[in-house]
């Protein structure tokens, strides 16, 4: 191999090693996630109950004459699922906008090995 090729290969290897050392020296960026302990669960439970009642009434009204019971049960299950999701989302939104009376910060690692700052917020 000519001398110039040796110099190019040596420079490429040095650059690769230097770049790898720089990447290893930079710590992984942490991201923050907020978890509401009280408000989210309370609204989720309320949404489940209200959704089950509304879904049961709607399922009973829509179902045929011979299948009122099945329509009520299916409507209640569907309504509970939709109400639970709506309550969960509503609680999450309320949590980020409200003042927390207490918060707790925990540093964890996620499934990809990144640092995660988890803030548990207690909102009434």
């Amino acid at each position: 191999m000519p001398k110039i090729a040796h110099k190019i290969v040596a420079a490429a290897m040095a650059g690769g090693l230097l770049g790898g050392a720089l990447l290893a020296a930079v710590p992984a960026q942490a991201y923050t996630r907020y978890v509401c302990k009280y408000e989210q669960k309370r609204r989720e439970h309320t949404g489940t109950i209200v959704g089950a009642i509304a879904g049961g009434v709607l399922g009973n009204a829509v179902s045929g004459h011979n299948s009122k019971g099945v329509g009520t049960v299916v409507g209640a299950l569907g309504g509970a699922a939709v109400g639970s999701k709506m309550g969960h989302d509503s609680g999450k939104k309320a949590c980020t906008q409200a003042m927390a009376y207490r918060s707790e910060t925990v540093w964890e690692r996620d499934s990809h090995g990144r640092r995660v700052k988890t803030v548990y917020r207690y909102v009434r």
Side-chain angles (χ1 to χ4, degrees), residues 1-15:
M1 236 172 29
K3 283 190 176 192
I4 189 78
H6 283 291
K7 289 181 181 180
I8 292 173
V9 169
M13 288 178 64

Side-chain angles (χ1 to χ4, degrees), residues 6 18 23 26 31 36 43 53 55 59 67 69 79 86 88-89 91 93-94 96 106 110 112-113 118-119:
H6 283 291
L18 182 62
L23 287 176
V26 176
Y31 61 93
C36 295
R43 288 190 183 207
I53 293 169
S67 61
M86 288 175 64
H88 181 82
D89 292 345
K93 184 176 180 183
T96 57
V106 178
D110 67 0
H112 302 291
T118 304
V119 179

Side-chain angles (χ1 to χ4, degrees), residues 29-35 104-107 115-121:
Q29 293 296 320
Y31 61 93
T32 304
R33 65 179 172 191
Y34 292 94
V35 178
E104 175 184 346
T105 303
V106 178
W107 288 92
R115 289 186 65 189
V116 181
K117 178 182 174 184
T118 304
V119 179
Y120 293 99
R121 298 185 78 204

Side-chain angles (χ1 to χ4, degrees), residues 82-99:
V82 170
S84 174
K85 177 68 175 151
M86 288 175 64
H88 181 82
D89 292 345
S90 169
K92 185 182 263 184
K93 184 176 180 183
C95 175
T96 57
Q97 293 174 349
M99 287 293 293

Side-chain angles (χ1 to χ4, degrees), residues 22-81:
L22 287 176
L23 287 176
V26 176
Q29 293 296 320
Y31 61 93
T32 304
R33 65 179 172 191
Y34 292 94
V35 178
C36 295
K37 284 296 203 178
Y38 179 74
E39 185 68 23
Q40 211 166 353
K41 283 293 181 190
R42 187 177 67 82
R43 288 190 183 207
E44 187 174 341
H45 291 178
T46 303
T48 302
I49 293 167
V50 171
I53 293 169
V57 169
L58 186 65
N60 190 347
V62 172
S63 63
H65 180 66
N66 292 333
S67 61
K68 291 282 187 189
V70 174
T72 302
V73 170
V74 170
L77 291 174

